Structures are given as structure tokens and as C-alpha cells.
Amino acid sequence: MTVYIVGHLNPDTDAVVSAIVLEDLEKKLDKEYKATIASPINRETEYVLKRFGFEVPPMIPAEEGKKVILVDHNEPTQISPSVKPEEIQAIYDHHNLGGLTTPQPLTMMFKPLGSTVSLLAELYKEKGLEISKEIGSLIIAGIIADTVNFTSPITTEEDKKIAADLNKIAGLDADELAMEMFKAKSDISGMDMMEIVGKDYKIYSSMKRPVSIGTWETVLPESVLSHKEEIFEALKKKKAADKVDLIFFTIVDVLKGEAHMFVAGPEEEEVIKKAYNNPEIKDGIAYLPGVISRKKQMVPPIEGAL
Ligand SMILES: [Mn+2]
């Protein structure tokens, strides 16, 4: 029976490549595993898969009673609606635990590393398995994506060592790859602001109040900041549609290492002021120097300020 591997909704590169890498690893152990996605991928991931010769994984099927492995997430609101808690066999993740309960026992591997693929790279080593050049390249891309080319505060020494070791086989120029990935991610042609707000967007159901935090990592912040009014409109719609109390959306300049956070309403303003110690707010946008990581620099301070 096929076991489906799937990352979170609104997948990022780490979520998608983790599924592909884990499929490769399990197949080396003669197991029937299939990498899938929970919703359409972003342009950075498209670029990475194409560059290293991988197909976009199919959507996870809705069939009942299937077996599923979650990668790169565990919070119920970030899991595909096609996955039922009783179908989950294992979780490989690098996030905090977010309130999932299951009727059955399961395998779990969690480590506070920069990416989920870092953890999978270590699993190859533990099991004494070889990593191919293609898979090694994918792992490096996943680490670069989640750690913003090793600049995010979530980056660990282990991530750097894993990438450096794999690069002996992959032979990549990491900075060149990172720049191409960031450029692909910054391409907004044909996208409206509703899509941009929702592309890298997570709902947090285990906080004191239901909150959502979207980010847009870019090398061209102006290309999005110049559509301010449409973004505020999109946030209003999304907040109502997702039934969250508070919505946050941040444009992250990955080159400067700073963020602009939209203040969607008076309650959000209160939280942002408390979370970031009265930051400069101009025309409804808070300026947050040094902030790039949602996991480390948005989720904890926002949760603490609720
Ligand atoms: Mn990740």
C-alpha cells in the first residue's frame, strides 16, 4: 500500500523537497512511498525542481483510509484537508508542536534545525545510505530556501555542515543558486495581491486566539509594497474567509534582511507594537529591521503579545 508524503498547505521549497527526498530515502529501503503536495507550489520551488530535473509532485489524493507522512509541519490548520489525523503514520519536522492529536501512536522525528531537509540528510547518514548528486542538490536548495541562504537566525551549524558536505558531490555555487531562487520567488508577473498574500501563508490554531501570518520573501520589495491598497483589501477578505481574529502579512527583503509588516487593523496594531517594542509605523506599515524569519522572529513575539 502506497504511503503518501506531504508538506504543508501553501508549500514552500523545504516542504516540497522534503517530500521528494523522503520518497528517495524510503525507496532505498524498498518501501512504497510517494511524494505529493498539499496545494500548488511557488515559483522558487518550480525553479529548483526544473533546475535539478525533478517533476512537480502530484496533489495528495483525497481517498479515505490511506497512509500519510507529514513533512515540515504538524499544526492542524496547515495540514491538507485531504489528510485525516488517523491516516498519519509519521511526522518529520523542525517546527514547534502545534496541537495535533491522533488516535494512533506514530513515528516522530523533530529537530530544531534550519530546515526539514537538513533532518532528512542526517537520516541518510544514520541509515548508511548514499545521497545522489540530484538529491544532494535538492537538499542544499531546501536548506538555502528556509535559512535564506544561511542568513536567517534559524540557521544552525549543522545546516551549514550538511550543505557543505553535500556540496562536495553537488558542486554548486550556493550564492548563485540562492540568487536565482530568490529572483524566481520575487517574480509576481500574472499574480494578484490576493495570491501574493496567500502564497506563503500559515494559520496558527494553537495560539491563544486564531492568527494567520503570511510572508512574501523578495529581492524586490517595491514591486509588492507599491500595491499597498490592494494588499490591505486582500487582508480584509482573507481574514474574514479564514475566520482568524488577527492577520499579519510581512514583506521580507531577503537581501537587506529587513521586513515591512502590514498593520491590518487596530487590534493588529496593538499586537505589533507590543511584539516589536513600538516599531516605526508609517502609513499602516511597520518597519522591522533585522526581521526575516517567521518561525523565530514573527510567531513567538506575536504569540507573546496576544
Ligand atoms: Mn521548513
Side-chain angles (χ1 to χ4, degrees):
M1 187 185 182
T2 306
V3 180
Y4 297 97
I5 309 165
V6 70
H8 50 83
L9 288 163
N10 310 317
D12 57 11
T13 297
D14 186 34
V16 178
V17 303
S18 288
I20 296 172
V21 169
L22 187 58
E23 176 192 291
D24 176 78
L25 186 149
E26 295 289 4
K27 278 187 173 158
K28 285 181 188 295
L29 303 169
D30 285 329
K31 292 183 188 162
E32 227 357 80
Y33 283 73
K34 187 151 189 54
T36 64
I37 51 174
S39 61
I41 63 172
N42 69 34
R43 286 177 178 168
E44 176 190 81
T45 312
E46 255 173 48
Y47 172 79
V48 166
L49 297 183
K50 205 169 160 198
R51 174 159 171 172
F52 299 118
F54 289 87
E55 299 280 326
V56 178
M59 291 285 269
I60 187 158
E63 69 187 49
E64 301 252 326
K66 61 185 172 301
K67 290 185 172 180
V68 178
I69 293 178
L70 303 184
V71 287
D72 199 34
H73 70 308
N74 69 81
E75 186 122 4
T77 40
Q78 295 166 16
I79 300 173
S80 160
S82 298
V83 175
K84 303 282 164 287
E86 61 272 22
E87 296 171 341
I88 301 168
Q89 309 293 307
I91 307 175
Y92 296 85
D93 195 10
H94 67 137
H95 292 92
N96 59 302
L97 288 170
L100 176 71
T101 59
T102 65
Q104 76 288 2
L106 61 164
T107 301
M108 299 215 283
M109 188 173 172
F110 282 67
K111 270 189 190 178
L113 298 179
S115 70
T116 298
V117 268
S118 305
L119 186 153
L120 298 179
E122 290 191 335
L123 205 54
Y124 278 83
K125 221 184 205 174
E126 268 174 39
K127 294 188 185 288
L129 299 169
E130 291 281 322
I131 298 181
S132 69
K133 184 178 179 184
E134 292 72 23
I135 290 291
S137 303
L138 268 196
I139 293 173
I140 292 170
I143 299 174
I144 286 175
D146 260 28
T147 64
V148 191
N149 199 23
F150 309 99
T151 64
S152 167
I154 64 167
T155 314
T156 68
E157 287 308 314
E158 274 165 286
D159 298 304
K160 291 181 193 165
K161 189 175 180 316
I162 291 163
D165 282 350
L166 286 173
N167 212 16
K168 288 174 195 153
I169 338 164
L172 295 163
D173 174 343
D175 290 334
E176 179 271 337
L177 172 60
M179 203 49 194
E180 291 304 320
M181 287 167 60
F182 296 157
K183 274 200 273 180
K185 206 173 194 180
S186 305
D187 175 12
I188 61 164
S189 54
M191 290 173 89
D192 63 20
M193 291 305 126
M194 195 65 181
E195 205 180 338
I196 285 171
V197 164
K199 201 68 196 169
D200 187 354
Y201 177 87
K202 292 182 177 178
I203 299 174
Y204 298 88
S205 53
S206 59
M207 291 190 191
K208 249 182 265 166
R209 303 168 71 185
V211 164
S212 63
I213 308 175
T215 64
W216 181 259
E217 292 176 349
T218 180
V219 292
L220 297 165
E222 260 316 304
S223 67
V224 186
L225 277 167
S226 58
H227 297 272
K228 214 179 95 181
E229 295 314 317
E230 290 157 75
I231 290 176
F232 277 120
E233 267 314 299
L235 290 174
K236 208 184 283 175
K237 277 190 212 154
K238 232 170 156 36
K239 188 175 175 176
D242 293 340
K243 299 187 179 72
V244 287
D245 278 7
L246 302 159
I247 188 165
F248 300 92
F249 176 66
T250 307
I251 295 171
V252 175
D253 184 328
V254 295
L255 297 183
K256 282 195 186 154
E258 62 181 32
H260 286 90
M261 188 177 276
F262 281 70
V263 183
E267 281 200 274
E268 283 87 349
E269 182 166 359
E270 223 176 279
V271 171
I272 291 170
K273 281 181 170 168
K274 201 171 155 193
Y276 297 101
N277 198 14
N278 284 313
E280 176 193 333
I281 299 178
K282 213 178 132 197
D283 298 329
I285 298 177
Y287 172 58
L288 308 175
V291 171
I292 45 176
S293 166
R294 172 171 43 205
K295 193 191 322 166
K296 212 156 188 166
Q297 297 169 300
M298 296 177 209
V299 173
I302 286 172
E303 184 163 25
L306 291 178

